[in-house]
Amino acid sequence: MHIGGEWVDSDDRYELISPATEEVFATAAKGGTGHADAAVAAASRAFEEGTWRNTPPLERAAVLDRVIAAVTARMDEFTEIGVRECGFPQRLSQAICVGFPLAHMQHYADLTRTYAWERPGPVTGMVLSTQLVRREPIGVCVGIVPWNFPLIIAVWKTFPALAAGNSVVLKVDEKTPVAALEMAAILRDAGLPAGAFNVVTGDGETVGAHLVRHPDVRKVSFTGSTAVGRQVMRDASDTIKKVTLELGGKGPNIVLDDADLDAAVDGSIYAFLLHAGQACESGTRLLLPSSLHDEFVERLTARLKTLKVGDPFDPATDIGPVMSAVQRDRILGYIESGKQEGATVAHGGGTPQGPGYEKGFWVEPTVFTGVRNDMCIAREEIFGPVLSVISYDSVDEAVKIANDTEYGLSAGVWSQDVPRALEVAGRLQAGSVWINDWHNISQHMPFGGFKQSGVGRELGADALDDFTEQKAITIDLTGRVDRRAYGLVLGTPPNA
């Protein structure tokens, strides 16, 4: 772990297992609540000392620039970390574990330079005064990062917090700590003061929960399941912490009857199969007009047969393994549930067989047809390569089905008539709606969910708002006691 600018070990270990081979490729320290307390104490000291929070924004941005340069110089290494830790196919790892994080890092560095840290108010009032509003750092910010996209989500938790002058404690998932620990070393070498950024490991139920409840933590940013997000919100409420929650999803992907089918078929596969479906904003419910249903499913399953599932180090591989045996068995349980509820397996439905699949955590890309929106596979987040196809007869019915969920993270619309697609998009209850695309998470656009998919937003032009507090300062301009409002309480002095 990295605490107070130092590497800190522990007596216990995690074994890090390759999802593709089940081989132990590294070990990592297993932290406990004592390490969490030490990290918060280090972050608190750094914040109180004020070296980082009082560093001018342009200088903070320069530190972030040096981090960007260092990660760029190690692209191949971070790509390999993604393949080994997460099972990303190699070309996907290069994008998800290097390309996107770098773009988002640069966005936060640029925001640090341009953000309105202070803005003037008007000259106002019955009592002549002027005002200004300052954006100031909150204090100790905790980021809790899941295993599916460990580096890019670590960037979302870390860079805006540091850009705003806060101190950070990052709690990484025990299965994927390597990239964040490498980033700790890079931040230190780039000139970040000791204690401003700390990385701890540990089980979520103990270390993560302890950090959320810690009285010296002022902000928690959590990405994970909706069930855990509810508990984070409850625990954070005891000390009225600011929270950002990016939680689960069950993205509806609506194909309209005038869609470009070639693009929509490939896009719908991309929507549910990126990282073997292990993305909260995946398009896992495919809504097809009855008139196109059979043709679309035929095209989709034919295209799936061309994809290579296998060794993530093979450049030809399209789909890698899922993260763990627990994850694999959970997904297979949902597939069995879909069969029992009466849905039809149009493709996949099990684990791939043959050479290369003897070890590793594999699930076939699986497509169900004949799905009703009240089925378990259509309502619960499976977090795997499983697609539920639902037929509809009118656009109004499609919108009703799409919104009939506790989630509201992502949605998509496919149409060659953009104004028509925009009209449908405006009716969808989702934080991100993609038209003729999916997974296009731009650093310039806010990302987060409606309903039980979360609270707050990451990325976008306002990304630093949730990591700052507003302070209103009012300056009297009268220069005289008798022109202020004191007479509302204080009577005329006896000798006046």
Side-chain angles (χ1 to χ4, degrees), residues 287-371:
L287 278 60
L288 298 177
S290 299
S291 60
L292 285 179
H293 178 278
D294 292 351
E295 178 186 357
F296 198 98
V297 170
E298 183 179 348
R299 287 189 181 211
L300 183 131
T301 54
R303 186 71 171 97
L304 285 171
K305 291 173 183 176
T306 71
L307 302 184
K308 177 178 173 57
V309 179
D311 179 7
F313 277 107
D314 182 346
T317 291
D318 301 301
I319 311 298
V322 298
M323 186 65 205
S324 65
V326 170
Q327 182 72 358
R328 176 198 61 203
D329 295 345
R330 179 177 183 271
I331 296 164
L332 292 175
Y334 273 108
I335 292 173
E336 187 59 33
S337 167
K339 295 174 183 177
Q340 291 177 1
E341 287 187 290
T344 300
V345 176
H347 183 85
T351 56
Q353 302 297 313
Y357 302 115
E358 300 89 350
K359 293 283 188 180
F361 312 121
W362 305 99
V363 178
E364 292 176 318
T366 298
V367 177
F368 280 106
T369 58
V371 177

Side-chain angles (χ1 to χ4, degrees), residues 63-147:
V63 171
L64 302 184
D65 285 341
R66 290 193 287 273
V67 174
I68 293 165
V71 173
T72 301
R74 297 171 60 184
M75 289 184 69
D76 290 346
E77 182 180 350
F78 278 98
T79 297
E80 182 176 345
I81 290 171
V83 177
R84 292 195 186 280
E85 271 200 320
C86 304
F88 284 114
Q90 193 169 43
R91 65 177 184 270
L92 181 61
S93 184
Q94 189 171 53
I96 296 294
C97 299
V98 188
F100 285 178
L102 284 172
H104 294 189
M105 288 177 187
Q106 189 64 62
H107 172 67
Y108 289 125
D110 292 342
L111 273 185
T112 311
R113 296 181 177 89
T114 60
Y115 190 67
W117 299 104
E118 184 173 297
R119 58 181 172 83
V123 175
T124 61
M126 179 176 65
V127 177
L128 189 63
S129 61
T130 189
Q131 295 86 30
L132 60 90
V133 177
R134 286 180 177 166
R135 285 278 187 177
E136 298 186 352
I138 300 168
V140 177
C141 297
V142 162
I144 300 178
V145 180
W147 50 258

Side-chain angles (χ1 to χ4, degrees), residues 49-72:
E49 289 167 1
T51 302
W52 180 247
R53 65 184 169 93
N54 293 324
T55 298
L58 290 179
E59 294 180 27
R60 294 203 294 263
V63 171
L64 302 184
D65 285 341
R66 290 193 287 273
V67 174
I68 293 165
V71 173
T72 301

Side-chain angles (χ1 to χ4, degrees), residues 254-437:
I254 302 174
V255 177
L256 299 183
D257 56 12
D258 66 340
D260 177 333
L261 294 192
D262 289 337
V265 166
D266 276 13
S268 298
I269 292 171
Y270 179 61
F272 92 95
L273 271 189
L274 177 75
H275 194 17
Q278 299 170 120
C280 49
E281 37 70 71
S282 291
T284 52
R285 289 184 296 150
L286 177 60
L287 278 60
L288 298 177
S290 299
S291 60
L292 285 179
H293 178 278
D294 292 351
E295 178 186 357
F296 198 98
V297 170
E298 183 179 348
R299 287 189 181 211
L300 183 131
T301 54
R303 186 71 171 97
L304 285 171
K305 291 173 183 176
T306 71
L307 302 184
K308 177 178 173 57
V309 179
D311 179 7
F313 277 107
D314 182 346
T317 291
D318 301 301
I319 311 298
V322 298
M323 186 65 205
S324 65
V326 170
Q327 182 72 358
R328 176 198 61 203
D329 295 345
R330 179 177 183 271
I331 296 164
L332 292 175
Y334 273 108
I335 292 173
E336 187 59 33
S337 167
K339 295 174 183 177
Q340 291 177 1
E341 287 187 290
T344 300
V345 176
H347 183 85
T351 56
Q353 302 297 313
Y357 302 115
E358 300 89 350
K359 293 283 188 180
F361 312 121
W362 305 99
V363 178
E364 292 176 318
T366 298
V367 177
F368 280 106
T369 58
V371 177
R372 300 186 315 274
N373 204 48
D374 62 352
M375 289 182 176
C376 184
I377 56 173
R379 301 206 70 80
E380 297 185 17
E381 186 176 41
I382 298 173
F383 225 63
V386 180
L387 180 66
S388 295
V389 180
I390 302 172
S391 182
Y392 69 86
D393 292 319
S394 69
V395 173
D396 287 344
E397 182 188 7
V399 171
K400 183 177 180 180
I401 292 169
N403 289 336
D404 181 19
T405 173
E406 69 183 36
Y407 298 114
L409 188 57
S410 61
V413 183
W414 297 83
S415 172
Q416 296 183 77
D417 183 341
V418 172
R420 184 186 184 206
L422 281 169
E423 191 276 332
V424 174
R427 299 167 65 188
L428 297 175
Q429 299 166 358
S432 294
V433 181
W434 294 293
I435 294 176
N436 298 328
D437 203 359

